[in-house]
Amino acid sequence: DIQVTQSPSSLSASVGDRVTISCRTSQTIGTYLNWYQQKPGKAPNLLIFAASNLPSGVPSKFSGSGSGTDFTLTISSLQPEDSATYYCQQCYSAPYSFGQGTKLEIK
Amino acid sequence: QVTLRESGPPLVKPTQTLTLTCTFSGFSLNTKRMCVSWIRQSPGRALEWLARIDWDDDKDYSTSLKTRLTISKDTSKNQVVLTMTNMDPLDTGTYYCARTSIYASNGYYLSYFDYWGQGTLVTVSS
């Protein structure tokens, strides 16, 4: 099974800042990686698929990069509504594992 | 408009079997490259992928839970059913079903969860 590790587990940033969240997989997966945003009490929402592709409706302040085993989610121009937990997920092979999540707090 | 809704008992006893139903609309599991997955989340914990069923009836399961899980579909009813045997208090959590779409580009096929149900909370307790 592919293990997925995110860092940091939590971070705090100010309105207007740019933050990056990292995701590492235990084996190379090309660009078979997705990112999700989850707000408290809600289901997750797809942010990025195939490492760097934005679904329609997702603001361009979200961007993803990386391939192989190392991936990054970048969120620019932070706003209070970006406060959430962010998860990466490998879709290279079953079981389709998630990272442990990164909780983002907006100061 | 794509919607998914999970249903099932909110409370089960240890050792019992849990049966969850995902009822969806706005897409068909007869359509190529359409799938439905089940994902759960224990209180305050990360997301855990459980199982997936594809348009062609292919199935995949979590390695650690595969002996306890069965996923099936009824395309005439637009439903996917997940059963989990021998429930334990550690199985307490919110269970989500999610439409799983397969993105295809130049021989490259990748899946993602693009629509989710609201989740159903299952508590395992005697």
mmCIF file of all heavy atoms in Angstrom, chain B residues 85-105:
data_model
loop_
_atom_site.group_PDB
_atom_site.id
_atom_site.type_symbol
_atom_site.label_atom_id
_atom_site.label_comp_id
_atom_site.label_asym_id
_atom_site.label_seq_id
_atom_site.Cartn_x
_atom_site.Cartn_y
_atom_site.Cartn_z
ATOM 1 N N THR B 85 -18.941 -6.029 8.166
ATOM 2 C CA THR B 85 -19.269 -7.011 9.192
ATOM 3 C C THR B 85 -18.479 -6.763 10.465
ATOM 4 O O THR B 85 -17.515 -5.983 10.492
ATOM 5 C CB THR B 85 -18.970 -8.433 8.686
ATOM 6 O OG1 THR B 85 -17.567 -8.520 8.401
ATOM 7 C CG2 THR B 85 -19.766 -8.755 7.440
ATOM 8 N N ASN B 86 -18.915 -7.435 11.520
ATOM 9 C CA ASN B 86 -18.185 -7.448 12.789
ATOM 10 C C ASN B 86 -17.794 -6.040 13.253
ATOM 11 O O ASN B 86 -16.617 -5.764 13.513
ATOM 12 C CB ASN B 86 -16.946 -8.338 12.661
ATOM 13 C CG ASN B 86 -16.335 -8.679 14.003
ATOM 14 O OD1 ASN B 86 -17.008 -8.647 15.024
ATOM 15 N ND2 ASN B 86 -15.059 -8.997 13.996
ATOM 16 N N MET B 87 -18.769 -5.175 13.364
ATOM 17 C CA MET B 87 -18.518 -3.787 13.733
ATOM 18 C C MET B 87 -17.919 -3.679 15.135
ATOM 19 O O MET B 87 -18.249 -4.455 16.050
ATOM 20 C CB MET B 87 -19.803 -2.970 13.633
ATOM 21 C CG MET B 87 -20.305 -2.799 12.211
ATOM 22 S SD MET B 87 -19.211 -1.796 11.194
ATOM 23 C CE MET B 87 -19.606 -0.143 11.818
ATOM 24 N N ASP B 88 -17.054 -2.688 15.280
ATOM 25 C CA ASP B 88 -16.320 -2.434 16.523
ATOM 26 C C ASP B 88 -16.462 -0.946 16.872
ATOM 27 O O ASP B 88 -16.632 -0.132 15.966
ATOM 28 C CB ASP B 88 -14.845 -2.794 16.284
ATOM 29 C CG ASP B 88 -13.993 -2.613 17.517
ATOM 30 O OD1 ASP B 88 -13.498 -1.484 17.731
ATOM 31 O OD2 ASP B 88 -13.846 -3.584 18.280
ATOM 32 N N PRO B 89 -16.347 -0.594 18.144
ATOM 33 C CA PRO B 89 -16.419 0.842 18.481
ATOM 34 C C PRO B 89 -15.433 1.698 17.702
ATOM 35 O O PRO B 89 -15.710 2.879 17.446
ATOM 36 C CB PRO B 89 -16.122 0.841 19.985
ATOM 37 C CG PRO B 89 -16.678 -0.447 20.469
ATOM 38 C CD PRO B 89 -16.389 -1.441 19.352
ATOM 39 N N LEU B 90 -14.300 1.140 17.303
ATOM 40 C CA LEU B 90 -13.334 1.902 16.506
ATOM 41 C C LEU B 90 -13.854 2.229 15.110
ATOM 42 O O LEU B 90 -13.270 3.060 14.405
ATOM 43 C CB LEU B 90 -12.023 1.126 16.391
ATOM 44 C CG LEU B 90 -11.193 1.017 17.675
ATOM 45 C CD1 LEU B 90 -9.992 0.118 17.446
ATOM 46 C CD2 LEU B 90 -10.750 2.393 18.156
ATOM 47 N N ASP B 91 -14.929 1.598 14.700
ATOM 48 C CA ASP B 91 -15.546 1.900 13.398
ATOM 49 C C ASP B 91 -16.510 3.076 13.479
ATOM 50 O O ASP B 91 -17.100 3.476 12.461
ATOM 51 C CB ASP B 91 -16.289 0.672 12.864
ATOM 52 C CG ASP B 91 -15.360 -0.486 12.564
ATOM 53 O OD1 ASP B 91 -14.311 -0.248 11.927
ATOM 54 O OD2 ASP B 91 -15.679 -1.628 12.973
ATOM 55 N N THR B 92 -16.666 3.649 14.650
ATOM 56 C CA THR B 92 -17.513 4.835 14.808
ATOM 57 C C THR B 92 -16.966 5.974 13.970
ATOM 58 O O THR B 92 -15.766 6.244 13.972
ATOM 59 C CB THR B 92 -17.567 5.257 16.283
ATOM 60 O OG1 THR B 92 -18.268 4.249 17.029
ATOM 61 C CG2 THR B 92 -18.255 6.602 16.461
ATOM 62 N N GLY B 93 -17.860 6.642 13.255
ATOM 63 C CA GLY B 93 -17.424 7.771 12.445
ATOM 64 C C GLY B 93 -18.476 8.167 11.429
ATOM 65 O O GLY B 93 -19.581 7.613 11.400
ATOM 66 N N THR B 94 -18.109 9.130 10.612
ATOM 67 C CA THR B 94 -18.985 9.581 9.530
ATOM 68 C C THR B 94 -18.584 8.854 8.255
ATOM 69 O O THR B 94 -17.401 8.826 7.895
ATOM 70 C CB THR B 94 -18.865 11.097 9.332
ATOM 71 O OG1 THR B 94 -19.292 11.753 10.532
ATOM 72 C CG2 THR B 94 -19.740 11.558 8.175
ATOM 73 N N TYR B 95 -19.563 8.269 7.605
ATOM 74 C CA TYR B 95 -19.342 7.512 6.380
ATOM 75 C C TYR B 95 -19.887 8.317 5.197
ATOM 76 O O TYR B 95 -21.054 8.733 5.195
ATOM 77 C CB TYR B 95 -20.027 6.149 6.473
ATOM 78 C CG TYR B 95 -19.305 5.205 7.406
ATOM 79 C CD1 TYR B 95 -19.323 5.395 8.794
ATOM 80 C CD2 TYR B 95 -18.567 4.134 6.916
ATOM 81 C CE1 TYR B 95 -18.633 4.552 9.653
ATOM 82 C CE2 TYR B 95 -17.880 3.282 7.763
ATOM 83 C CZ TYR B 95 -17.919 3.502 9.125
ATOM 84 O OH TYR B 95 -17.218 2.656 9.970
ATOM 85 N N TYR B 96 -19.022 8.536 4.224
ATOM 86 C CA TYR B 96 -19.384 9.291 3.025
ATOM 87 C C TYR B 96 -19.372 8.381 1.798
ATOM 88 O O TYR B 96 -18.508 7.506 1.687
ATOM 89 C CB TYR B 96 -18.359 10.385 2.745
ATOM 90 C CG TYR B 96 -18.221 11.478 3.768
ATOM 91 C CD1 TYR B 96 -17.180 11.436 4.708
ATOM 92 C CD2 TYR B 96 -19.082 12.574 3.787
ATOM 93 C CE1 TYR B 96 -17.015 12.462 5.637
ATOM 94 C CE2 TYR B 96 -18.930 13.595 4.716
ATOM 95 C CZ TYR B 96 -17.898 13.525 5.633
ATOM 96 O OH TYR B 96 -17.736 14.547 6.552
ATOM 97 N N CYS B 97 -20.308 8.633 0.900
ATOM 98 C CA CYS B 97 -20.137 8.081 -0.439
ATOM 99 C C CYS B 97 -19.788 9.242 -1.369
ATOM 100 O O CYS B 97 -20.172 10.406 -1.115
ATOM 101 C CB CYS B 97 -21.366 7.313 -0.933
ATOM 102 S SG CYS B 97 -22.903 8.248 -1.110
ATOM 103 N N ALA B 98 -19.043 8.949 -2.397
ATOM 104 C CA ALA B 98 -18.570 9.983 -3.305
ATOM 105 C C ALA B 98 -18.562 9.468 -4.733
ATOM 106 O O ALA B 98 -18.129 8.334 -4.992
ATOM 107 C CB ALA B 98 -17.159 10.424 -2.908
ATOM 108 N N ARG B 99 -19.051 10.302 -5.644
ATOM 109 C CA ARG B 99 -18.901 9.941 -7.049
ATOM 110 C C ARG B 99 -17.422 9.991 -7.385
ATOM 111 O O ARG B 99 -16.702 10.907 -6.970
ATOM 112 C CB ARG B 99 -19.659 10.905 -7.961
ATOM 113 C CG ARG B 99 -19.673 10.413 -9.407
ATOM 114 C CD ARG B 99 -20.414 11.341 -10.327
ATOM 115 N NE ARG B 99 -19.564 12.409 -10.813
ATOM 116 C CZ ARG B 99 -19.855 13.165 -11.868
ATOM 117 N NH1 ARG B 99 -20.992 12.962 -12.521
ATOM 118 N NH2 ARG B 99 -19.041 14.131 -12.251
ATOM 119 N N THR B 100 -16.989 9.001 -8.107
ATOM 120 C CA THR B 100 -15.587 8.898 -8.483
ATOM 121 C C THR B 100 -15.523 8.926 -10.000
ATOM 122 O O THR B 100 -15.985 8.001 -10.670
ATOM 123 C CB THR B 100 -14.989 7.598 -7.929
ATOM 124 O OG1 THR B 100 -15.277 7.529 -6.517
ATOM 125 C CG2 THR B 100 -13.495 7.561 -8.149
ATOM 126 N N SER B 101 -14.969 9.992 -10.511
ATOM 127 C CA SER B 101 -14.858 10.147 -11.963
ATOM 128 C C SER B 101 -13.454 9.785 -12.400
ATOM 129 O O SER B 101 -12.490 9.992 -11.670
ATOM 130 C CB SER B 101 -15.169 11.585 -12.365
ATOM 131 O OG SER B 101 -16.511 11.898 -12.082
ATOM 132 N N ILE B 102 -13.362 9.240 -13.594
ATOM 133 C CA ILE B 102 -12.052 8.897 -14.131
ATOM 134 C C ILE B 102 -11.725 9.877 -15.247
ATOM 135 O O ILE B 102 -12.458 9.998 -16.233
ATOM 136 C CB ILE B 102 -12.015 7.441 -14.620
ATOM 137 C CG1 ILE B 102 -12.219 6.518 -13.419
ATOM 138 C CG2 ILE B 102 -10.692 7.148 -15.318
ATOM 139 C CD1 ILE B 102 -12.151 5.049 -13.738
ATOM 140 N N TYR B 103 -10.632 10.576 -15.038
ATOM 141 C CA TYR B 103 -10.130 11.558 -15.994
ATOM 142 C C TYR B 103 -9.189 10.840 -16.951
ATOM 143 O O TYR B 103 -8.277 10.129 -16.538
ATOM 144 C CB TYR B 103 -9.397 12.652 -15.213
ATOM 145 C CG TYR B 103 -8.525 13.578 -16.009
ATOM 146 C CD1 TYR B 103 -9.069 14.587 -16.790
ATOM 147 C CD2 TYR B 103 -7.136 13.473 -15.944
ATOM 148 C CE1 TYR B 103 -8.264 15.465 -17.493
ATOM 149 C CE2 TYR B 103 -6.331 14.342 -16.639
ATOM 150 C CZ TYR B 103 -6.900 15.335 -17.418
ATOM 151 O OH TYR B 103 -6.092 16.197 -18.107
ATOM 152 N N ALA B 104 -9.444 11.014 -18.240
ATOM 153 C CA ALA B 104 -8.630 10.335 -19.254
ATOM 154 C C ALA B 104 -8.006 11.370 -20.173
ATOM 155 O O ALA B 104 -8.691 12.260 -20.688
ATOM 156 C CB ALA B 104 -9.503 9.374 -20.048
ATOM 157 N N SER B 105 -6.697 11.234 -20.356
ATOM 158 C CA SER B 105 -6.003 12.147 -21.256
ATOM 159 C C SER B 105 -4.753 11.463 -21.791
ATOM 160 O O SER B 105 -3.863 11.111 -21.016
ATOM 161 C CB SER B 105 -5.628 13.431 -20.499
ATOM 162 O OG SER B 105 -4.858 14.285 -21.305
#
